[in-house]
Amino acid sequence: SSLLQLRLPLRLLADFRFMKINLKEVSVFLSAILLAGSYAVAQNPYRWTDELELLKRVDKLPEYRTGSYVEQFSSYDRTGGNDDGFAGTYSFLRKEGDKLVIAEMEGPGVINRIWTPTPTDNMLYFYFDGQKEPGLKIKFSDLFSGKVYPFTKPVCGNEIGGFYCYLPITYKKSCKIVFDGPKLEFIQIQYRNLPEKKVETYTGEFSQQDKDLLAEVNRIWADLSPAVTNYTFGKSAGVQTEEKVFTLSPGEEVSFFEMAEPGRIVGMSIDGGTSFEGLYKDVILSAKWDNEKVEAIYAPVADFFGYAYGKGAMRSILMGKQGTSNYCYLPMPFDKSASMKMIYKKREGIQQSPISVNVKVYYNSNKRNVKEEGKFYSVWRREKTPLGIFHKFAAQKGKGHYVGTIHQAQGLRPGMTLFFEGDDSTYVDNKMRLHGTGSEDYYNGGWYALLDRWDRGNSLPLHGCLDYSLPMARTGGYRFFLADKMSYEKEIYHGMEHGEVKNNFPVDYTSVGFFYAAQPLQGREEPTAELRTVYQPTEHIYFPQLMQLSLGGGVQVTNERGIRMTTQHGGVVRIMLNDVPEGKYKVLINYFEKPNGADFQVWQRQKQLSGWISTKKDKEVSKDRVHVGDINLTEQTNSVTFHVRNNNGGDQFELGLIILERIKE
């Protein structure tokens, strides 16, 4: 537009030799026009669709956002305790009449994410730019239901116990969110300031172009087989492919991509069949940019691609595993050169076989814009995190932005996964910007150990649960940040607590943090043989809420404080012992003795483990860790069966826990 404005004065310049015009005055005039033109360009309205587009423009991930910080309102316990929403004490800023003000942002800015595990049908009112009337009114539950346009799935939705909304809501000057109800429980509202932008406030009016863009974002997010072609826009366009097939032997390393000129890797796929599965994570993925001293990527292949405890688990739109192929579509620009290789670490005393690998690297020659883009880096870390100490996903100095976390979480004591009560916290440039309400909440989940909530691995577009097993006392999650990538100018700390308060639960945490930065890594952790080995507990506890049951006739089952088996004459209940490694185990159980207690026996298929045991007593008593027999557990014999009979009117056997204690060979 500024060039069009210049046509008239340029024509006048052509006739200067016929006119008496002061050239200095013309120069000032032209400079003013150029300045006005560039100002007009800079002040183009920034709409909610500009943010929406970022949910599919993965090619823009390396770009810096100078001075644009991500922050969050959340219901976390300000005292350092674990009341992160149950009482609703910290779920609002103040009351206005009978309503709750739950967030208040000064603009210009954008809301990028709203999360809760406890939505209600109460109304939410969004007051933009100091207006007396709300510019957006919607039921809290309809932010996630998919029933109200444009809050459509899968950009908004729910799974794994958490409800999430990534539809951007922009505001020019300010935004106040009011909840029309007496109590709000768990909440996180994530927003970002948009300095030096002429932000257009969200209106709820949509052109056909707006609708088409939202449909395209939803299509990409719903793609169960994501391909690199979903993201070959902008500087990631013009992709070439280099493919290499090779055999990797123990103790060997093979370079599979070398480029001695500027460019960028747009994506890669690594197919090793089932070779990266199992207890030993001995194959390392390594990458260097521009001959830097420390590798930008140095992690076991399994951990980098989101495996969980020996099995493929992650299938996001950006990274993961589909079939036997592991894929990554995070762009990786470099200035002069790139080198990628795989290293097969030798392990003493273990039989290791050569593996066949097929690698494809998608790349182009679009070099990094040093002033506008960071280089890609990842930090792999595994530690038995000491009590009282947070686990760090990233702690970096300099300029950059954080874009993703993969996290495997193993408890070091058997039982409930209370380590996942720990909150995430993020400090950027000397200020706490985000503080979460629980570990599964960080991954847009909620309610671990509850049926059809955070109870098994489940992958969503940008987040998910990697695994959940109470008997193994472990879980894990992943989350990627697109529009909400966390920028820093001087430093960032991003970490996770373990336990209800003060990091009080012993854990074994493995994480990979992904970010873009202006400066190279200064060091890395070496994946030793011990750190490359999946941890195996020696005691396993099965809790009633996630027991897998099969009933034999004559018994009714309810699940309240335990598995209550009621019978008039007799019946059987089989309980599967899933997840636990093969081996020999003592079988211990917790149950209740009470006035209407029935008799029970324990079997493993056709093998009787115990005689008849009476649970009938005058007063109710909890019996703990009662040894009922030993079993040899295999994939074909991983169950125990309870036979129950009526004992002179005693018609109930109430089972609490089943505990397997490994017998040392």
Side-chain angles (χ1 to χ4, degrees), residues 77-298:
D77 189 333
R78 271 58 169 178
T79 70
N82 196 41
D83 182 11
D84 293 317
F86 294 105
T89 307
Y90 308 102
S91 303
F92 63 98
L93 301 178
R94 64 181 183 274
K95 293 183 178 181
E96 290 186 353
D98 58 352
K99 299 179 177 62
L100 305 178
V101 177
I102 62 174
E104 200 163 31
M105 290 76 71
E106 296 297 323
V110 58
I111 299 167
N112 282 125
R113 169 182 172 264
I114 300 175
W115 164 92
T116 184
T118 52
T120 69
D121 288 338
N122 297 85
M123 294 297 294
L124 284 182
Y125 301 106
F126 292 73
Y127 292 88
F128 299 120
D129 310 326
Q131 296 296 314
K132 293 183 178 180
E133 296 298 321
L136 171 62
K137 297 184 290 185
I138 188 171
K139 284 182 181 180
F140 188 22
S141 57
D142 279 338
L143 282 177
F144 322 104
S145 68
K147 297 177 181 178
V148 177
Y149 194 86
F151 299 92
T152 53
K153 295 186 176 184
V155 167
C156 304
N158 72 290
E159 243 300 349
I160 56 177
F163 295 74
Y164 65 92
C165 175
Y166 277 100
L167 188 92
I169 301 172
T170 52
Y171 44 92
K172 181 179 181 180
K173 297 178 181 179
S174 64
C175 178
K176 179 175 73 172
I177 306 177
V178 176
F179 176 78
D180 187 5
K183 180 184 176 183
L184 180 66
E185 294 186 345
F186 295 84
I187 187 71
Q188 294 180 16
I189 299 173
Q190 199 172 305
Y191 65 98
R192 191 173 91 253
N193 67 317
L194 295 171
E196 301 178 4
K197 290 187 183 295
K198 186 179 179 181
V199 177
E200 182 179 284
T201 297
Y202 176 89
T203 64
E205 298 176 357
F206 314 105
S207 67
Q208 187 58 50
Q209 188 175 7
D210 296 343
K211 294 177 181 179
D212 291 344
L213 176 59
L214 179 55
E216 174 65 8
V217 171
N218 281 325
R219 183 194 67 78
I220 289 175
W221 277 42
D223 191 348
L224 295 176
S225 300
V228 70
T229 50
N230 286 349
Y231 310 117
T232 49
F233 304 101
K235 292 180 181 178
S236 291
V239 165
Q240 302 178 61
T241 303
E242 182 167 320
E243 184 173 3
K244 189 167 185 177
V245 180
F246 56 92
T247 298
L248 190 61
S249 297
E252 185 181 13
E253 60 180 60
V254 173
S255 175
F256 61 82
F257 181 77
E258 298 284 344
M259 191 166 171
E261 59 186 66
R264 73 185 55 213
I265 293 167
V266 176
M268 61 176 150
S269 65
I270 300 176
D271 192 335
T274 60
S275 300
F276 307 129
E277 296 182 355
L279 298 180
Y280 304 118
K281 303 179 287 187
D282 292 334
V283 182
I284 306 296
L285 176 64
S286 172
K288 273 190 176 184
W289 322 133
D290 307 320
N291 295 314
E292 293 172 353
K293 291 182 179 180
V294 178
E295 296 90 340
I297 302 172
Y298 197 84

Side-chain angles (χ1 to χ4, degrees), residues 53-67:
E53 188 178 39
L54 296 178
L55 297 179
K56 74 182 184 78
R57 291 296 301 272
V58 175
D59 60 293
K60 290 181 173 289
L61 266 184
E63 294 179 3
Y64 297 129
R65 288 179 179 156
T66 302

